Amino acid sequence: MSLLAACNSSAESAAADAALAQSLLEQRRIAEARLAINAEQDSEADYHLLLAQIELTAGSTEGAFVAFSDALSLDGTNGAAMAGVAQTGLEIGRLDESKAAAERILTFDSTNVDALTILGLIEYLRRRYRPSLGYAEQILEIDPANEGGAILATRALFKRGEVVEARNRLTTFEKLGGITSGSARTRLEVARHDNDAAAMEAAFADLARLMPGDLAIAIDRADFLFKRGRRDLAMDE
């Protein structure tokens, strides 16, 4: 067999293995998908991207991070690899790698809201609230009704002690984008800090409507009612 024929045969085999692994992944047959993927193609970014999807489906964020990182090392301009490292790195606490990937995304797309959000969250986690707020403001300039940007801005302002402005930011978002479970949760935290029972009650009502059956919310509301002497309502939760 000629070298060219051998290369073509190998490529066809790898493509068939990838197709099989993708099919097994879609059927959530994770162990079989891992076995089906062709390890001989581990010098290609697409191999690692497929492996990352398998790991994510299996619930292994750490494994997905490693696979996305391997893909990025092979193809430094691969958008899926950059996004994967940024997101999974944030989730498992690999903040330096996450930040580097998000910043790399911005060199290609300076208005990428997901990358800006990740950078803002990293600054927030590092308790650098002024830079975190700066990223949130960039997001809201791009999309004034962006939930992530509004919540990040609210939380950063709140941590800086600018509670009134934090409330105003959240109110502005809810007027533009409507009340979401994320905005209601954030409003609840601010109201709890202010010991504003009426605002907490309103936030709990919104959460009950938006997240019916959520046990954690129900327990939190029952505790809130019990502490205020409303035991009859607390027992109904």
Side-chain angles (χ1 to χ4, degrees):
M1 180 182 293
S2 69
L3 179 59
L4 178 59
C7 289
N8 287 339
S9 176
S10 177
E12 290 172 1
S13 175
D17 288 341
L20 175 58
Q22 183 66 49
S23 175
L24 291 167
L25 174 61
E26 291 169 359
Q27 299 173 55
R28 302 189 67 83
R29 294 161 63 181
I30 306 303
E32 293 169 88
R34 282 185 174 130
L35 291 173
I37 194 168
N38 190 338
E40 293 178 2
Q41 301 301 310
D42 66 357
S43 62
E44 298 180 9
D46 285 347
Y47 163 88
H48 295 284
L49 290 176
L50 178 55
L51 181 58
Q53 293 305 316
I54 292 171
E55 295 298 331
L56 284 175
T57 304
S60 174
T61 308
E62 179 76 46
F65 171 78
V66 171
F68 280 127
S69 297
D70 288 340
L72 188 58
S73 69
L74 293 167
D75 181 359
T77 63
N78 189 292
M82 287 187 281
V85 170
Q87 182 61 51
T88 57
L90 175 66
E91 291 177 16
I92 65 172
R94 299 288 290 271
L95 300 185
D96 288 341
E97 294 95 327
S98 175
K99 181 178 180 179
E103 288 176 338
R104 189 182 297 191
I105 291 171
L106 293 179
T107 64
F108 296 96
D109 177 8
S110 62
T111 61
N112 188 294
V113 168
D114 291 335
L116 290 168
T117 300
I118 287 171
L119 290 171
L121 287 170
I122 289 172
E123 296 298 337
Y124 184 88
L125 290 170
R126 288 175 167 167
R127 300 183 180 181
R128 298 179 57 191
Y129 302 122
R130 177 64 255 184
S132 179
L133 178 59
Y135 283 116
E137 288 173 342
Q138 287 184 60
I139 294 166
L140 294 171
E141 284 179 10
I142 296 165
D143 177 12
N146 184 277
E147 178 185 19
I151 291 174
L152 181 60
T154 300
R155 290 181 180 276
L157 286 163
F158 183 75
K159 287 293 187 179
R160 283 168 54 84
E162 301 176 50
V163 179
V164 173
E165 180 59 23
R167 267 198 235 100
N168 291 341
R169 287 295 182 96
L170 200 57
T171 299
T172 297
F173 164 74
E174 291 185 331
K175 287 179 179 178
L176 287 171
I179 296 171
T180 66
S181 58
S183 73
R185 279 181 183 275
T186 304
R187 183 156 34 86
L188 175 62
E189 291 179 27
V190 174
R192 198 192 307 271
H193 173 270
D194 292 345
N195 198 28
D196 185 338
M200 287 182 68
E201 185 68 63
F204 275 125
D206 287 330
L207 287 168
R209 174 176 56 83
L210 293 165
M211 304 173 65
D214 187 285
L215 182 59
I217 295 297
I219 291 173
D220 193 10
R221 183 169 187 266
D223 181 63
F224 162 76
L225 292 169
F226 186 82
K227 287 177 178 177
R228 280 156 181 78
R230 299 165 66 184
R231 298 186 180 187
D232 53 335
L233 292 176
M235 295 299 292
D236 291 337
E237 288 297 312

